[in-house]
Every structure is written in C-alpha cells, then in structure tokens.
Amino acid sequence: MVGLSKSKEKYLPLPPQDLVDLFLRTEEWSNSKRDQWGNWEHSYSSNYKQGKLWQPELDIWVKEVKKNLVNLGIELLSTWSEDAPFSVCLTHDVDILSDTVSPKQAMRKLKQYWCSEDQKNISTKIRRTLGLFKNKYTTKPSIEKTVAALHSIEKEYGVASTYFLFALPLHRISQHDCIYSLNDWVVYDGTTCSLAEVFKIIHSGGSEIGLHGSYHTATIPHLLTEQKIHLENALEIPITSTRQHFLHWEPKVTPQLQVDAGIHVDGTLGFNRNIGFRSGTCYPFYIFDRDKDSTLPLLEVPLIIQDGALFGSNALEFDPVQAFFVTKQLIDTVRSVGGCMTILIHPDMMLLDGVPTYYRNIIEYCLEHKAWFTTLSGMQNWWKNRSETLGKS
Ligand SMILES: [Zn+2]
C-alpha cells in the first residue's frame, strides 16, 4: 500500500504492534466468540470499543510513513490507475430477486426450513412455514426494480460493479441460504428470460459476476468449489471473485477454502451491523495465514459500507438521507488516505423509498472527486501487476 519498491524496503519502519494485531485480526484468531450467524461482529472488536471503527488506523499511519519517505527523496509508485486519488468497488450480493417469489422458490424455502441442520426448533419451523403464505406469488418474478434498476443506474453513469450470485444446487442446506436458481424465469427489461441469461447480459456490458458462496461454504470443504463450477458452467465465464453469504467467515478456515476453489479475490471482511474498517484499512491486501506463517494467493478487498448495516432494524437503522450523510463522511475518510471504498448494495434494498437516490448520490459524489471505479477482479489484476512492478524495481 506504500508504493515502495522492493529494493528500498529497508527504509520502511515497522508498524506499532497494536496496528499489526488489528490488521492480522489477532482478536478473531484467538477468540472463539461469534454472533447468532456464526460471525465476528463489530461490537467484539477492540477498535469499536475504542471508538475507532470508522477510522482506518493503519492507513493513517501509512500516510505519515509515505510523507516521511517522500521527504527523504524516495520515489513512490502511485496507488491507482491514472493517478486517481482513490478507488471505488461497487458490489451487490444477490440474495433476494424481487418482492414476489415463484412457487418453486417457496418450495425451496420450505425445504430449507425442514431439512437444514441449523434450525431444530419445531415451533420456529412451523411459524416460518406459515409465513410463506404471506408471500406474493408469481411464476416469473420481476427484477425490474431490483437488479435491473441497479444496472440501469450504473449504465447511466458508465461505471461497472460486481454482482455476487448464489449457485444451486446445494449439498448442505442452511436456513439462511437463498432460494433462486440460475434456471429460474424472471422478467427483465420487459421480457421473460432465465436468470442466467440476465447475468450474461450484465457481464457482457462490463460488470463482473462473482460467486456468493452459500452459508456453509465458509467452513465445510469442497462446497465452494462445487458452486463455483456450477456458476461457471451456467454463465460460461470464469469466476475468480467471491463474497461469503451473511459475511460468514472463519479466519482459520475460509480463506484456504476460497484458495482451494480457485478464487483470487474476496470481499467479505466487513460487518453486518456496522460500517467501518474491520482490519484498520480500506486498502486491498493479501490474506496472511497465521498457522502457516505465509501469505495466501488471495486478495482481500475489505467491505467498508453495506446497506444492511445502514438500514437494518437490528443495526444502525438510518433513513437514506442520514445514510448518505455518514457514507459521505466515510468516502471522505477513504479519500484522505487514498484508499479503496468498497460498498455493498443488495438488489432488493432498491425497493425501499430513497435507496435508488442514495445509490445515485454515492456514484455522483465519487465521480465528482475523480475516483477510479473497478470491479473486484479488476482490482485483483491491478494489485497483482502493481505488486509485480514494485518487486522488479
Ligand atoms: Zn448474501
């Protein structure tokens, strides 16, 4: 992240131990505390307890180091393409397609309630089954106001994004999993087509398709590999990026499973119920495996802001105007350290009043401040080439 060539690394000071621990997620490795979804949540983090979750502490330290190196007359490689002051990754976890569901999708949900091992309470199963009668049903759910609305805004501003897709069938079902299949029929752009066809169109327009690994892929071997192959076959494109569903992520297990599946870049490291800097940085970085004492060939692009945390009733519960106020603050923070702002907007959030405007405002604000927009795989290519350039000089 400093932009210092390998031959000049002797000029680089070591970060203080508390920043090393924050970056390497020492607290997550050494503490088994997890929330209701099996995740490390912001409230357990030392930077949250110290009131520093919204500060990229490591990047602030790096900024000072860079200033000192430049004062010594040492040349640093610029961070982003065309010398952009910061970068932006717009991302979408495709969990819910529409405000209606097809009977087939409802049957899949029913199967999840009764066949998944992670819900054993019979009264909860019955209550949730009865809840299925409240759904609005159609054989071809419309995705005009969700996926199509996001894509249309991105086309209008000429920016690309990454859509993370679920890939059925699943060999281990969780009650948290999604219920759509890539073969399901949907209404998109005024016509009926399969979901696979929709995302082939979106991909051909320059956006990226990544894998949204099912809940159990974070901890059970081989599942992510199977789902990646299924998604690649359905869309006839290579898949190299992922974000785990529910941000389900175990530091000792998940990164290696992603590497084993042939994934090159992950965007999971953020929070479900707050925004900010989980690892003290907004920069991409290669994941370090503490057990193996080695760096994995897996780039992490940390998630800084997600809509679930901003709008969720179990989270910050902002309205879109308040949400934009704090989003702008965090974009300014990322700009001040020249980092990468990664934002997650779920397609179904576009159904909420004010969210389409919120999304437009983010893109306009970042364009106004000359951000470089890229996808997760675009970021991985950029970071790899940059690392190679620094290694050669
Ligand atoms: Zn998800």
Side-chain angles (χ1 to χ4, degrees):
M1 55 180 75
V2 177
L4 190 68
S5 65
K6 201 163 180 54
S7 59
K8 299 213 172 93
E9 274 179 0
K10 59 185 175 208
Y11 295 106
L12 200 59
L14 285 175
Q17 191 56 43
D18 60 328
L19 291 185
V20 173
D21 285 337
L22 177 65
F23 178 66
L24 295 179
R25 307 308 304 125
T26 301
E27 56 191 357
E28 295 183 41
W29 276 77
S30 55
N31 186 336
S32 59
K33 173 84 178 153
R34 298 294 183 264
D35 73 356
Q36 60 183 303
W37 300 305
N39 291 338
W40 178 266
E41 196 36 89
H42 72 278
S43 49
Y44 312 148
S45 295
S46 59
N47 58 351
Y48 170 74
K49 289 173 187 160
Q50 292 162 16
K52 293 179 177 174
L53 183 61
W54 291 11
Q55 293 171 29
E57 294 173 78
L58 181 63
D59 303 342
I60 292 167
W61 180 84
V62 166
K63 189 179 170 183
E64 204 52 39
V65 167
K66 284 169 95 167
K67 207 162 75 184
N68 294 338
L69 290 170
V70 169
N71 287 342
L72 289 173
I74 295 171
E75 218 175 293
L76 303 177
L77 188 65
S78 66
T79 313
W80 306 119
S81 179
E82 294 167 9
D83 259 340
F86 70 116
S87 63
V88 174
C89 287
L90 301 172
T91 65
H92 312 295
D93 294 0
V94 183
D95 287 346
I96 296 172
L97 293 176
S98 173
D99 52 357
T100 60
V101 294
S102 70
K104 250 190 199 175
Q105 291 166 350
M107 289 309 288
R108 291 184 195 124
K109 198 75 220 170
L110 195 63
K111 192 174 165 191
Q112 282 179 13
Y113 291 156
W114 290 93
C115 300
S116 67
E117 293 160 23
D118 47 4
Q119 180 53 262
K120 293 193 168 63
N121 187 310
I122 297 290
S123 60
T124 303
K125 288 174 192 252
I126 292 170
R127 186 168 41 81
R128 290 188 174 165
T129 302
L130 293 174
L132 289 174
F133 289 101
K134 291 184 194 153
N135 285 339
K136 283 189 276 175
Y137 287 95
T138 169
T139 50
K140 294 158 195 161
S142 167
I143 57 170
E144 304 284 22
K145 290 182 179 167
T146 54
V147 174
L150 281 170
H151 188 50
S152 145
I153 290 174
E154 288 159 7
K155 275 199 298 188
E156 188 185 322
Y157 290 102
V159 294
S161 69
T162 303
Y163 291 80
F164 294 105
L165 290 188
F166 222 73
L168 296 182
L170 307 180
H171 286 120
R172 280 291 290 271
I173 301 171
S174 159
Q175 59 174 336
H176 304 308
D177 286 331
C178 302
I179 53 169
Y180 64 83
S181 152
L182 294 163
N183 297 322
D184 286 352
W185 295 103
V186 291
V187 176
Y188 175 79
D189 217 7
T191 57
T192 299
C193 49
S194 75
L195 202 56
E197 284 170 310
V198 169
F199 283 101
K200 280 183 189 177
I201 294 168
I202 290 176
H203 176 259
S204 66
S207 281
E208 181 194 12
I209 309 302
L211 175 63
H212 199 36
S214 70
Y215 182 79
H216 287 307
T217 59
T219 52
I220 298 177
H222 311 304
L223 300 182
L224 198 67
T225 308
E226 283 171 12
Q227 291 170 26
K228 177 175 173 280
I229 293 169
H230 184 71
L231 186 57
E232 287 178 328
N233 290 342
L235 299 186
E236 300 168 311
I237 53 170
I239 301 292
T240 59
S241 66
T242 196
R243 176 176 292 130
Q244 298 293 144
H245 184 46
F246 267 64
L247 307 185
H248 190 202
W249 196 84
E250 269 303 322
K252 295 181 183 174
V253 183
T254 314
Q256 188 59 54
L257 294 180
Q258 294 177 343
V259 171
D260 294 345
I263 293 292
H264 299 158
V265 53
D266 171 71
T268 304
L269 273 193
F271 291 117
N272 285 312
R273 289 181 272 182
N274 210 329
I275 57 179
F277 305 93
R278 180 163 167 173
S279 305
T281 181
C282 55
Y283 276 79
F285 58 89
Y286 286 99
I287 294 270
F288 186 76
D289 188 311
R290 300 173 69 114
D291 284 346
K292 295 190 184 84
D293 195 25
S294 65
T295 303
L296 296 178
L298 178 72
L299 189 73
E300 180 63 35
V301 180
L303 173 63
I304 311 302
I305 291 181
Q306 76 140 312
D307 50 7
L310 291 171
F311 304 123
S313 58
N314 63 353
L316 301 169
E317 213 172 342
F318 290 136
D319 63 36
V321 174
Q322 291 168 323
F324 185 60
F325 181 79
V326 294
T327 299
K328 217 160 65 163
Q329 272 186 336
L330 258 67
I331 293 171
D332 289 341
T333 301
V334 168
R335 281 174 55 216
S336 73
V337 294
C340 174
M341 170 50 84
T342 303
I343 299 178
L344 159 58
I345 304 289
H346 291 80
D348 58 301
M349 280 285 181
M350 294 291 278
L351 296 164
L352 297 181
D353 280 349
V355 172
T357 304
Y358 166 75
Y359 191 46
R360 280 175 183 281
N361 288 342
I362 293 172
I363 296 174
E364 282 180 14
Y365 190 72
C366 293
L367 284 172
E368 213 175 282
H369 290 90
K370 314 280 182 230
W372 174 53
F373 284 73
T374 189
T375 60
L376 250 68
S377 64
M379 180 60 80
Q380 192 260 331
N381 283 332
W382 174 259
W383 211 250
K384 186 168 168 272
N385 291 336
R386 185 172 178 273
S387 304
E388 283 170 5
T389 304
L390 289 169
K392 281 178 204 151
S393 51

